[in-house]
Amino acid sequence: MKVRLTLLTLILMIAVGSSVAQFGTDEKIVAVNALASQDKIVPGEELTLALVLDIKPTLHINSNKPLSEFFIPTEISFEPVANLSFGQPQFPAAELKTFSFSEEKVAIYEGQIIVFVTISTSPSLQQAPQTITGKVSYQGCNDNVCFAPNDAEF
């Protein structure tokens, strides 16, 4: 009986360990810092928002345009703000690398990248403090496995 219980415990430990490797972790892989091109928003004009993404060392995220339909792209979304419209995020060129989990090259970002977004303002925008919030949705990976998709809010 004791041998059977020990074997069952060992099987459960292996199953839990492999599910964490396959499906990921709650650990944040990406930190986001948002910087505006100017301190004040002028009604009827545009400004640029720079989103600085710091990706944890030894890890990477899929690019915004993965080369395979099986990889989840990095995406940026914003919460709506009255009288502001957000342009398409301008991502940098991705690095192409080969990993043990894919026979083909993978388009990734690692280290630090900067994504630029143009924000257009309506002439009817009220001169008052505006809060811009959003999130970066990404799938993080190491050299051997990809984790469950995650979000980094800003």
Side-chain angles (χ1 to χ4, degrees):
M1 179 70 173
K2 187 173 183 179
V3 171
R4 185 180 300 170
L5 185 59
T6 304
L7 182 60
L8 180 60
T9 303
L10 180 60
I11 291 170
L12 284 173
M13 287 174 34
I14 291 171
V16 169
S18 66
S19 69
V20 168
Q22 182 178 3
F23 298 113
T25 176
D26 288 337
E27 182 181 353
K28 293 292 183 183
I29 294 170
V30 176
V32 183
N33 189 21
L35 304 167
S37 61
Q38 55 202 53
D39 291 338
K40 293 185 179 186
I41 300 174
V42 180
E45 293 188 9
E46 292 184 340
L47 69 139
T48 301
L49 188 66
L51 298 171
V52 181
L53 280 59
D54 286 304
I55 303 157
K56 282 197 168 193
T58 73
L59 301 176
H60 63 269
I61 60 175
N62 293 323
S63 78
N64 63 313
K65 295 181 181 176
L67 302 178
S68 168
E69 64 181 298
F70 300 109
F71 292 111
I72 297 170
T74 296
E75 298 177 331
I76 295 175
S77 59
F78 293 91
E79 292 297 319
V81 178
N83 297 309
L84 294 182
S85 60
F86 301 95
Q88 288 294 319
Q90 301 302 308
F91 285 84
E95 295 180 56
L96 298 178
K97 290 198 168 183
T98 304
F99 297 98
S100 62
F101 58 80
S102 176
E103 292 178 10
E104 298 180 18
K105 290 194 181 251
V106 180
I108 64 155
Y109 300 121
E110 57 187 357
Q112 183 182 77
I113 66 166
I114 302 174
V115 181
F116 295 99
V117 179
T118 299
I119 302 172
S120 300
T121 66
S122 167
S124 59
L125 178 71
Q126 297 295 316
Q127 285 289 74
Q130 301 290 329
T131 301
I132 297 171
T133 58
K135 67 181 176 181
V136 176
S137 300
Y138 63 89
Q139 182 178 31
C141 308
N142 61 26
D143 290 351
N144 299 308
V145 67
C146 287
F147 307 111
N150 211 335
D151 296 325
E153 296 181 356
F154 58 88

